[in-house]
Amino acid sequence: MDLYGLYNGRIDRLQKEIAVLKQKKRRYGLGRLVSFMAAIILFFALLEVNGVMAATIAILLLLLFLFIAVKDMDNTRHLKFRSILLKINEEELGSLDHHFNDFDDGSAFLPENHPYAYDLDIFGKHSLFQFINRTTATPSAALLADRLLHPSSKNKIGQLQQGIKALQPEIDWRQRLQALGRRSKITGSVYQQIAQWSTSRDHKPNGESTFKWMAIVLPLITLLFIILASFGILPWKILWLSFCAHLLLLWRIDKVVTPAYEYLSEAINTMDAFYDSLECMVDKAFTDPYLQSLQQQCFHDGIPAHQLLSRLKKILHRLNMRLNPLVHFPLNLAIFWDWHQYRRLQSWQSRYRQGLIGWVNAYAEMEVLSSFANMAFNHPGWCFPEIADQHFTFSALSLGHPLLAEGKRICNDAGLSGAGKILLITGSNMAGKSTFLRTVGVNMVLAMAGSPVCARKMEVSETEVISSMRVADNLEENISTFYAELKKLETILQRVRAHEKVFLLLDEILRGTNSLDRHAGARALIRQFLAEKAVGILATHDLELTEMANECKGQILNYHFDVQVQEEELYFDYKLKPGICTSMNASLLMRKIGIDV
């Protein structure tokens, strides 16, 4: 599939559609101006000739003005939607060349202490999260982060894989969902409001029963007073009594309604757009059971969630009328508008509040699946890994780092079978040891999230990666680099001794001490790992550690990355090879910067 041609074709089509819509917008603008001005001019021009004709023509022209205004609003909505779609396709075209900095990098989700998030660049600029993320709602982004931070079970992975496969070819539907999501923008504060409101218990304000009957009876009494006064039965001054009663009741009602309105005010516009997102979710006919289950979460007693949300949206918009005081105050004073909308809001909440947060969560899951499906669509050569039953299995063909562009990515075959085994990798500086560790780790994280991986074929056991690669000191807590690494290794040992299903990725362990202690400590640590049936990959410059392969037959496997030197120049192929590295480049690199070695 020519993805560049596909996205360029979509961009061209959308640009043409946007040009047509902009032309229509100019025509609608001119039509509104002409019809409005014609209504005024013809009314006054014909008023002395024929008043009825003048009024009739003016009314017809004003109706034409309203018709054009409605068409213009509809056209503007389509224009904005297609502009969002255009932006989405331009971003995807850029992402094919690994330009994905426009997407949220998930830095807010980086935990302070995590087994692998910092080492494997899960969050931050040019991170795995930023590479995958196409979510638009804060709860969706949080779910994606959780999926990358915590491995799923084998059964869950199977469900996720099938859902992603079903969404992968649905580019039109996925982009429509994304565009609608960008309009709704369910932020963290909006989600918190929805969650608290939907889970809160019914709250009946003091004097609710009194407000209930007075809000109905008082306007009827006032209407009766007006009728009686118009017939001269009662004096008009009695209306002052009704006016004061209305003001007093309105003051009491406002104390109840205003806090509820202010609490939900930020969610009002979001609810308006979220209606379309829910409708998009349930209108699509899916055959995948997991996607169907997500759709079923968006129904209540057989009624689609977007229809129920439409009722809530109308109530919230009626409450939103208070932003127009010229209309709101007389209407509220006359019939206690806010109270009746508040009652409808309470009724909706008591019936459907438990479903509301479930609809948002189902939408978040769909957005996460759509993000992974978008990645799978953009990289059709990647595979969905098989999840092995036994512990431990890992094998991969053409395994590459997903954050490296295809033209720069060097892929390797790798494998490790059975518990109590260590893949020991040696190599010269810059030869690719650390990148290979991250390549394995990142793809395992993707596999445990139900995602496709950057490999031609891959099989891995259900496991959690735990790494020690980037260790830094902490001045605030007065912790040195060496002690920080010891603390990390202590955590790793605790999990290994508990025989948890973890996969270790260790890069130059105990680098913060002298070579004698480092070698002795590394040997002792490796022996403990093997004794506890741990499994993982360890990269090192310490060639003496490779001799342990003779002592621990079949438990330590030596592999390496090497470098070729030609006329004082270094050449790397970044290919993983069996055996021990025999070519080192540190002396050459030091000579290049002026150190005589």
Side-chain angles (χ1 to χ4, degrees):
M1 180 188 298
D2 179 14
L3 291 171
Y4 287 94
L6 183 143
Y7 283 119
N8 277 315
R10 295 175 72 86
I11 289 170
D12 290 342
R13 176 174 56 81
L14 286 166
Q15 286 175 338
K16 291 175 182 177
E17 292 177 359
I18 288 171
V20 171
L21 292 171
K22 284 183 176 179
Q23 190 176 20
K24 282 185 178 181
K25 186 170 182 62
R26 289 191 291 269
R27 290 175 180 172
Y28 286 139
L30 180 62
R32 285 189 303 167
L33 177 64
V34 169
S35 58
F36 184 77
M37 294 303 298
I40 296 174
I41 293 171
L42 290 176
F43 175 75
F44 287 105
L46 298 174
L47 186 61
E48 294 183 1
V49 178
N50 189 324
V52 175
M53 181 186 296
T56 301
I57 292 176
I59 290 172
L60 290 174
L61 287 172
L62 288 175
L63 289 174
L64 177 61
F65 169 82
L66 292 175
F67 174 78
I68 295 173
V70 170
K71 297 289 287 184
D72 186 33
M73 289 174 60
D74 188 57
N75 185 74
T76 301
R77 188 171 67 253
H78 287 298
L79 178 60
K80 289 181 178 178
F81 184 74
R82 277 162 178 76
S83 297
I84 295 173
L85 282 176
L86 176 63
K87 177 67 173 174
I88 288 172
N89 282 277
E90 289 173 341
E91 290 171 349
E92 293 304 330
L93 185 63
S95 73
L96 296 181
D97 294 320
H98 273 239
H99 301 145
F100 47 86
N101 289 329
D102 289 335
F103 304 108
D104 178 35
D105 62 14
S107 296
F109 301 111
L110 178 63
E112 186 174 347
N113 293 299
H114 189 267
Y116 56 79
Y118 179 64
D119 289 339
L120 301 184
D121 302 306
I122 303 299
F123 303 104
K125 290 296 181 184
H126 207 76
S127 64
L128 185 65
F129 181 93
Q130 191 174 41
F131 178 71
I132 299 168
N133 181 34
R134 298 298 185 271
T135 64
T136 61
T138 297
S140 307
L143 180 61
L144 174 59
D146 184 74
R147 197 72 33 94
L148 296 175
L149 290 173
H150 304 101
S152 302
S153 66
K154 181 179 178 179
N155 290 338
K156 181 69 173 180
I157 291 171
Q159 289 180 326
L160 296 174
Q161 286 185 351
Q162 293 306 312
I164 293 168
K165 288 177 183 178
L167 289 177
Q168 181 177 346
E170 302 290 346
I171 182 172
D172 290 329
W173 184 87
R174 286 188 287 102
Q175 289 194 353
R176 179 172 173 239
L177 185 73
Q178 187 179 354
L180 292 171
R182 289 191 180 187
R183 283 190 351 194
S184 62
K185 289 289 182 185
I186 302 179
T187 62
S189 58
V190 168
Y191 181 74
Q192 186 177 14
Q193 287 178 1
I194 293 172
Q196 291 181 355
W197 184 71
S198 62
T199 56
S200 63
R201 295 183 178 180
D202 292 332
H203 173 68
K204 294 185 178 182
N206 295 330
E208 181 189 21
S209 58
T210 303
F211 294 158
K212 182 178 179 180
W213 69 263
M214 286 190 67
I216 298 173
V217 172
L218 195 55
L220 293 176
I221 292 175
T222 302
L223 180 61
L224 179 62
F225 284 172
I226 292 172
I227 294 172
L228 293 176
S230 63
F231 284 100
I233 300 174
L234 291 176
W236 284 102
K237 291 182 178 180
I238 199 170
L239 291 178
W240 282 105
L241 181 63
S242 291
F243 180 73
C244 292
H246 276 245
L247 280 179
L248 180 61
L249 183 59
L250 194 61
W251 173 70
R252 292 294 306 277
I253 287 174
D254 192 63
K255 286 180 171 289
V256 175
V257 176
T258 298
Y261 171 80
E262 291 178 348
Y263 184 75
L264 289 172
S265 59
E266 190 179 354
I268 290 174
N269 292 331
T270 299
M271 290 294 184
D272 194 8
F274 188 50
Y275 166 91
D276 293 325
S277 298
L278 283 180
E279 185 179 22
C280 179
M281 271 191 64
V282 301
D283 280 355
K284 178 69 176 177
F286 290 116
T287 57
D288 177 68
Y290 189 61
L291 297 182
Q292 288 178 338
S293 70
L294 292 178
Q295 289 180 316
Q296 287 304 311
Q297 292 179 37
C298 297
F299 283 82
H300 184 94
D301 292 336
I303 304 174
H306 67 274
Q307 293 183 13
L308 299 176
L309 196 63
S310 177
R311 301 176 191 176
L312 176 62
K313 183 178 71 171
K314 290 176 181 178
I315 296 169
L316 292 175
H317 276 288
R318 289 174 190 145
L319 275 173
N320 215 25
M321 193 179 289
R322 57 175 47 216
L323 298 178
N324 187 351
L326 293 177
V327 177
H328 174 258
F329 180 74
L331 186 65
N332 206 27
L333 182 65
I335 61 173
F336 306 106
W337 175 266
D338 282 355
W339 173 254
H340 296 301
Q341 307 315 314
Y342 174 78
R343 289 281 299 166
R344 292 187 177 98
L345 185 64
Q346 292 293 94
S347 175
W348 194 98
Q349 182 189 23
S350 64
R351 295 180 64 184
Y352 307 118
R353 64 185 178 189
Q354 293 181 347
L356 180 57
I357 196 67
W359 305 338
V360 177
N361 290 337
Y363 172 72
E365 179 67 80
M366 191 69 83
E367 274 213 302
V368 171
L369 292 175
S370 183
S371 292
F372 282 117
N374 181 79
M375 184 178 71
F377 182 84
N378 286 346
H379 301 88
W382 294 10
C383 73
F384 284 88
E386 297 180 25
I387 308 301
D389 293 318
Q390 68 276 13
H391 186 78
F392 178 81
T393 294
F394 168 65
S395 65
L397 299 178
S398 298
L399 186 72
H401 200 301
L403 299 184
L404 294 175
E406 188 172 350
K408 299 179 180 179
R409 184 190 304 137
I410 303 298
C411 297
N412 284 285
D413 297 344
L416 198 58
S417 179
K421 291 188 178 180
I422 297 291
L423 201 67
L424 193 62
I425 299 180
T426 52
S428 55
N429 296 290
M430 304 187 302
K433 300 187 302 299
S434 299
T435 300
F436 177 72
L437 261 63
R438 292 190 177 92
T439 297
V440 173
V442 165
N443 281 288
M444 282 190 170
V445 169
L446 288 174
M448 295 302 107
S451 165
V453 296
C454 183
R456 190 169 77 247
K457 186 178 181 181
M458 179 172 165
E459 182 181 12
V460 64
S461 301
E462 184 180 333
T463 189
E464 180 181 5
V465 173
I466 184 166
S467 64
S468 178
M469 300 175 69
R470 292 172 176 154
V471 181
D473 58 1
N474 190 319
L475 294 177
E476 185 178 351
E477 298 183 11
N478 195 27
I479 295 176
S480 68
T481 302
F482 180 64
Y483 186 68
E485 184 178 9
L486 287 180
K487 295 292 289 182
K488 185 67 179 285
L489 291 176
E490 180 185 26
T491 302
I492 293 173
L493 277 171
Q494 288 173 352
R495 300 190 64 176
V496 166
R497 287 167 180 158
H499 298 109
E500 296 183 24
K501 293 181 178 180
V502 295
F503 185 82
L504 310 181
L505 293 173
L506 309 177
D507 192 9
E508 290 296 339
I509 55 176
L510 303 175
R511 72 188 76 183
T513 187
N514 64 77
S515 58
L516 209 60
D517 285 341
R518 180 178 61 198
H519 177 74
R523 286 179 64 92
L525 186 63
I526 291 172
R527 288 189 179 279
Q528 289 187 57
F529 287 152
L530 296 178
E532 298 293 346
K533 301 297 182 183
V535 61
I537 304 176
L538 192 153
T540 182
H541 283 100
D542 188 352
L543 294 180
E544 292 182 26
L545 287 179
T546 61
E547 297 174 2
M548 293 185 69
N550 299 322
E551 305 168 19
C552 309
K553 294 290 186 180
Q555 291 185 290
I556 294 181
L557 307 174
N558 283 321
Y559 280 79
H560 73 279
F561 290 92
D562 62 14
V563 59
Q564 302 298 320
V565 181
Q566 297 179 8
E567 298 179 356
E568 294 292 304
E569 294 296 330
L570 302 176
Y571 296 93
F572 301 97
D573 63 6
Y574 305 110
K575 299 299 290 185
L576 182 67
K577 305 176 181 70
I580 303 168
C581 180
T582 57
S583 59
M584 294 297 176
N585 62 4
S587 298
L588 177 58
L589 290 172
M590 287 187 284
R591 285 198 299 272
K592 280 184 172 291
I593 66 168
I595 300 175
D596 294 329
V597 180

